[in-house]
Amino acid sequence: MTGPPNQPPSREPVRVLVLGGGLIGLAIAHQLARRGRRVQVLSRRRSEAAGFVAAGMLAPHAEGLGGALLALGQASLARIPAWVGQIEADSGLACGLRPCGIVVPFRSSAERDAYPTAAWGEPLGRASLEREVPGIGPSWQAGLLFSQDGQIDNRRQLMRALERACVGMGVGFQEGAEVLALERSGDGALAGVRLRTAAGEEQGLPAEQAVLACGAWSARLLGELPVFPVKGQMLSLQAPRQALQRVIFGPGTYLVPRTDGLLVVGATSEPEAGFSEGLTPAGQRQLQEGLEALLPEAAHWPPMERWWGFRPCTPDQGPLLGESGIPGLWLATGHHRNGVLLAAITAQLLAGVISGSAKAENKALLEPWGLGRFQS
Ligand SMILES: Cc1cc2nc3c(=O)[nH]c(=O)nc-3n(C[C@H](O)[C@H](O)[C@H](O)COP(=O)(O)OP(=O)(O)OC[C@H]3O[C@@H](n4cnc5c(N)ncnc54)[C@H](O)[C@@H]3O)c2cc1C
């Protein structure tokens, strides 16, 4: 078949480098590949990604988000079932999506009614709270049920399914490849990256387009990004199967029941810890005390695992999405405590603008999240 006259011969689509193979990087790589782009993911260390740490709550209402962040979270929540359907179809693996509803307990009905997202939830008194959360501690007198919120098993299912979906769609992976620096051409545009391979070799990789998705470490590659780590510690218990149906989102502690009875307990929030690794007795004690206040009988359930990770936070706790100021370099970072929730919308918005196919409504959703809001 010949093309129309006076058109240049068709070229291979320009490769996009995705810097960071965590949840956001993988989600974008997958959507770009679905749009026919050639994609290469550079990932320093798979296991350090917050995508393997998070509790997987999908909780724009239970978290009490407001303004543009609530709108973004709601838009993502609405897209998650179809997004998960794509990942499951492309990978052949289940993602563990569970629209189980989230209960937020309060010490009084006045506290409940003052909650920022109260209008989106069903108000509960003590009796209905006990019905929703059998065994809830005696200090909780009221609650809000957000039946539209839920959870996904990011640690055991979603991340693996995304990786498999990407590989199946031809996305290239360089695991153990640390991006050391961005390289720019004379006019300031992105020219490529400098990286250290898993074998310890330093090399340059040319690219006209890249997405910076290095999570809590993003500012190490672009110093002007106001992204910093907020450490979180977690633990899990083996609960009797069906002991809990709803996620419970208490102040400072939440409980996320998986279908097989595993109960994920989170999470500390430690901005002062910087990138210091490991568990601390104080952090683990805080989780244990929060757990016992929410659900006293859980103190007798056998412990399973303990782990920690770093949320990528910004000063207003909203993400950084879109153009970076460097032509060819896109930002997808700073998702703080809602990166699992926001992965679906982030991937669709970024893949849309990078491939030049974004709809007007999607461009409007991106608008509040530019780097410019921190520069004026
Ligand atoms: C304790 C905890 C609980 C959470 N719970 C929830 C929750 O319930 N619901 C929710 O929505 N969100 C939750 N989150 C937030 C969510 O996990 C994050 O927002 C999300 O994972 C961020 O994804 P990311 O891809 O930006 O970063 P990450 O998943 O951290 O991935 C970043 C990747 O970039 C790589 N990288 C970094 N620097 C380089 C470099 N120079 N070169 C190459 N690769 C590099 C790293 O190795 C890493 O693999 C939680 C987070 C934590 C820590």
Side-chain angles (χ1 to χ4, degrees):
M1 218 167 88
T2 51
N6 303 326
Q7 288 239 326
S10 72
R11 294 191 307 149
E12 278 263 296
V14 177
R15 175 183 58 184
V16 183
L17 294 183
V18 173
L19 316 181
L23 175 56
I24 299 296
L26 290 174
I28 294 171
H30 175 236
Q31 287 299 317
L32 282 168
R34 285 191 128 249
R35 286 163 175 74
R37 300 301 301 263
R38 280 199 307 142
V39 186
Q40 175 86 8
V41 175
L42 305 176
S43 163
R44 181 176 62 202
R45 187 144 58 94
R46 179 180 182 271
S47 59
E48 73 187 349
F52 282 113
V53 173
M57 285 181 299
L58 307 171
H61 306 97
E63 289 254 357
L65 303 184
L69 193 53
L70 176 61
L72 191 70
Q74 288 173 324
S76 201
L77 190 66
R79 293 174 192 211
I80 283 172
W83 176 69
V84 164
Q86 291 178 348
I87 299 166
E88 292 185 339
D90 293 343
S91 67
L93 296 174
C95 293
L97 175 63
R98 199 173 164 206
C100 58
I102 302 186
V103 169
V104 183
F106 299 92
R107 293 200 163 77
S108 69
S109 49
E111 238 180 55
R112 174 194 66 199
D113 298 342
Y115 202 61
T117 47
W120 299 93
E122 179 191 329
L124 305 174
R126 174 71 201 179
S128 44
L129 184 61
E130 278 176 29
R131 215 167 32 244
E132 294 296 341
V133 186
I136 190 157
S139 52
W140 311 101
Q141 295 302 316
L144 283 168
L145 169 60
F146 296 104
S147 48
Q148 63 277 58
D149 288 358
Q151 59 159 303
I152 192 164
D153 194 344
N154 52 294
R155 294 192 79 212
R156 297 184 298 177
Q157 294 184 269
L158 174 65
M159 288 291 284
R160 216 155 62 85
L162 261 175
E163 285 171 340
R164 177 85 65 90
C166 284
V167 170
M169 303 208 67
V171 171
F173 276 88
Q174 249 177 288
E175 179 59 33
E178 174 167 25
V179 181
L180 302 173
L182 305 169
E183 293 188 328
R184 299 171 69 172
S185 56
D187 62 1
L190 185 76
V193 298
R194 204 119 211 98
L195 62 85
R196 188 187 298 116
T197 66
E201 263 173 49
E202 277 196 30
Q203 53 183 235
L205 193 58
E208 290 170 25
Q209 287 194 309
V211 186
L212 180 50
C214 289
W217 300 269
S218 296
R220 291 185 179 170
L221 284 179
L222 195 59
E224 64 254 44
L225 297 186
V227 178
F228 53 92
V230 175
K231 182 177 175 180
Q233 301 183 46
M234 313 268 292
L235 59 84
S236 64
L237 309 169
Q238 187 60 47
R241 221 177 247 267
Q242 310 289 324
L244 268 188
Q245 294 301 319
R246 309 281 194 195
V247 171
I248 315 177
F249 186 83
T253 311
Y254 50 76
L255 314 182
V256 184
R258 306 292 193 217
T259 34
D260 59 0
L262 191 79
L263 185 68
V264 175
V265 183
T268 63
S269 181
E270 306 169 58
E272 68 290 348
F275 280 111
S276 70
E277 299 200 354
L279 303 167
T280 63
Q284 293 294 300
R285 200 164 44 244
Q286 181 197 317
L287 292 178
Q288 195 63 35
E289 287 169 4
L291 166 73
E292 288 172 25
L294 284 173
L295 205 64
E297 67 184 296
H300 308 293
W301 295 345
M304 298 297 285
E305 273 187 277
R306 298 174 192 274
W307 67 97
W308 77 92
F310 302 106
R311 304 175 185 90
C313 193
T314 65
D316 64 7
Q317 306 193 7
L320 276 166
L321 305 176
E323 292 174 359
S324 66
I326 299 175
L329 180 72
W330 303 87
L331 301 177
T333 184
H335 292 76
H336 190 218
R337 49 187 298 129
N338 288 295
V340 182
L341 167 69
L342 298 175
I345 192 101
T346 298
Q348 288 173 0
L349 296 181
L350 266 288
V353 288
I354 292 168
S355 46
S357 61
K359 296 185 191 137
E361 79 207 56
N362 285 346
K363 285 189 187 154
L365 273 171
L366 261 185
E367 214 178 87
W369 307 113
L371 181 57
R373 74 190 195 273
F374 298 115
Q375 291 175 326
S376 47

